[in-house]
Amino acid sequence: MSDSFDAMKDLMRKKLRESVQSGQQADSDPPPSPSPQQPQPPQQLPQQHSPQPEQRTAGVPRETPEVARQVRHHMSHPSGMILTNIETVPGMTIVEHFGLVNGSMVRAKHVGTDIMASLKNLVGGELGGYSKLLDETRGESIDRMVLQARQLGANAIVNVRFSTSSVAQGAAELYVYGTAVRVE
Amino acid sequence: METILAILGLIVQYGLFVILFGMGFFVGGYIEKRHYKDIHRRERELLHLPAVSMSWKALHQENAYQVPVVEARMVYGSVVLSEDYFKAFLLALRTFFGGRIVAYETLIDRARREAILRMKAQAVGADIIVNTRLDTSTIGGGDVKAKTTKSIEVLAFGTALTFQKQPDGAA
């Protein structure tokens, strides 16, 4: 599980880099050649889901914010998975349901952060260490959920919900779940 | 000699409390005032990006929102805020006598608004955030008797939608 998870993360990063480079510097730089030991999975990403994005950029030069937004469209998550917390993906139709997917993670900060937090507790204000901990953990939980949905062959997750609970002093459990679907 | 010792004992016993109490009142009050100022400024800047709690279906019934959507993605923001010593003292007092705890109302209000602002900051370029949900939880303070860090975490999440730009620039 953890091996495939790491491989997945590497793949995500690489695709993110490639999509940004091919989207923004296609005129100047040649696209990076994909490394041979990382086979690309079959693409079911929403590249051709609707003609609207193409209409928007017709005749527009490459470096506009419009294009940057276009690139982001395929990058809800670095893997290309579309995440929403409503029942549908607006502008697309759901063609297949795969059921519930979820990801969870329990993490703790080192004791220095805990001590800093208890000092900060005297004067109030934001506990930056804990904020960062929860943010990172939430991101990783989403990665796990996306990995699961990908293994099912989905290209979007709808109705995503979060849940937080503290399992022990200084440790937090982040749970995220949603319905994996295929949209077109 | 004995009275001096008694006074010294009193200072050692209550001095720390007084220092922490004053620090909580002055520094905590200053932090809260500065935070509210910051929140008001950022809320004004992000007025063009409303966060609504309706689902997309309900919103789509209205005439103003029949434009095609070109992008839908989930955005979220979270913040962990801590009480200060003065607020904790007020809470202890209030739980004895009962009544409104204004100090904690402002704390939670600040956390919620900050979380929504952070969520909006993720939705750069979007036109609206639908189905906004807020989730509050306390961390690190499970046991009431234990004098541990009590802090609240607020998570705001929703779906950011970008509409197709109208050719004449009406939208």
Side-chain angles (χ1 to χ4, degrees):
Chain A
M1 175 70 187
S2 74
D3 280 354
S4 64
F5 185 59
D6 287 344
M8 168 85 181
K9 267 167 59 180
D10 287 347
L11 199 64
M12 277 178 200
R13 281 202 203 97
K14 204 159 62 118
K15 278 173 73 178
L16 178 69
R17 229 179 293 127
E18 276 170 19
S19 66
V20 168
Q21 280 173 353
S22 63
Q24 292 179 345
Q25 312 175 346
D27 306 328
S28 51
D29 292 346
S33 56
S35 59
Q37 67 269 31
Q38 283 273 15
Q40 293 286 328
Q43 289 279 100
Q44 324 160 330
L45 304 182
Q47 242 78 353
Q48 71 284 56
H49 73 274
S50 82
Q52 288 155 4
E54 279 68 31
Q55 283 170 9
R56 276 175 93 209
T57 46
V60 180
R62 284 203 150 252
E63 275 82 12
T64 56
E66 213 79 354
V67 176
R69 190 179 295 178
Q70 285 287 309
V71 173
R72 264 210 309 281
H73 185 345
H74 306 297
M75 295 192 325
S76 263
H77 188 267
S79 69
M81 190 74 68
I82 302 169
L83 302 172
T84 69
N85 77 335
I86 47 183
E87 297 86 3
T88 54
V89 180
M92 298 185 185
T93 40
I94 294 172
V95 292
E96 199 174 348
H97 281 268
F98 295 98
L100 199 73
V101 286
N102 53 33
S104 88
M105 190 168 237
V106 183
R107 272 187 65 179
K109 239 2 188 200
H110 60 87
V111 71
T113 317
D114 286 342
I115 292 170
M116 284 307 289
S118 60
L119 285 181
K120 195 79 200 277
N121 199 34
L122 297 176
V123 292
E126 189 187 350
L127 302 176
Y130 283 141
S131 283
K132 216 174 142 205
L133 165 77
L134 291 174
D135 239 29
E136 286 168 6
T137 315
R138 202 164 274 130
E140 301 245 320
S141 306
I142 292 176
D143 285 354
R144 288 191 172 182
M145 180 178 71
V146 165
L147 173 65
Q148 217 182 80
R150 227 187 147 80
Q151 282 166 348
L152 292 171
N155 66 354
I157 304 171
V158 297
N159 235 336
V160 176
R161 305 278 159 83
F162 288 103
S163 137
T164 315
S165 51
S166 59
V167 286
Q169 180 72 32
E173 197 233 351
L174 279 296
Y175 181 58
V176 56
Y177 56 103
T179 308
V181 294
R182 187 154 77 231
V183 292
E184 275 170 8
Chain B
M1 190 63 198
E2 276 183 10
T3 46
I4 293 170
L5 271 181
I7 289 168
L8 270 177
L10 268 183
I11 287 172
V12 167
Q13 222 173 346
Y14 297 109
L16 190 67
F17 172 75
V18 169
I19 288 170
L20 290 179
F21 191 83
M23 213 161 83
F25 183 72
F26 289 110
V27 183
Y30 170 71
I31 287 175
E32 179 160 300
K33 207 179 267 176
R34 199 182 55 180
H35 192 195
Y36 259 127
K37 223 174 171 180
D38 191 43
I39 286 175
H40 288 147
R41 181 181 59 79
R42 284 153 70 204
E43 275 181 350
R44 269 198 304 277
E45 279 172 9
L46 286 165
L47 268 181
H48 62 276
L49 175 64
V52 298
S53 60
M54 292 164 104
S55 83
W56 169 241
K57 261 183 199 157
L59 201 68
H60 198 55
Q61 312 284 319
E62 293 178 22
N63 282 331
Y65 294 103
Q66 304 225 330
V67 239
V69 174
V70 293
E71 180 185 348
R73 67 199 159 94
M74 209 177 72
V75 288
Y76 61 90
S78 74
V79 65
V80 181
L81 276 193
S82 149
E83 61 179 11
D84 57 53
Y85 203 80
F86 182 67
K87 282 183 198 283
F89 178 74
L90 283 184
L91 176 71
L93 215 65
R94 275 298 184 200
T95 47
F96 192 74
F97 292 111
R100 258 180 86 182
I101 309 166
V102 183
Y104 273 69
E105 286 174 3
T106 57
L107 181 71
I108 297 176
D109 177 52
R110 266 162 65 205
R112 295 223 169 100
R113 286 161 85 170
E114 177 73 34
I116 289 177
L117 285 170
R118 287 187 186 182
M119 175 184 72
K120 283 184 174 182
Q122 269 198 7
V124 189
D127 291 309
I128 194 168
I129 298 174
V130 297
N131 210 25
T132 310
R133 293 285 178 268
L134 285 165
D135 193 0
T136 314
S137 55
T138 57
I139 60 169
D143 193 1
V144 181
K145 274 182 199 161
K147 295 261 190 213
T148 51
T149 314
K150 272 192 224 95
S151 42
I152 54 163
E153 197 238 345
V154 176
L155 165 73
F157 60 105
T159 303
L161 300 180
T162 311
F163 299 130
Q164 187 176 13
K165 290 276 177 294
Q166 299 298 307
D168 54 355

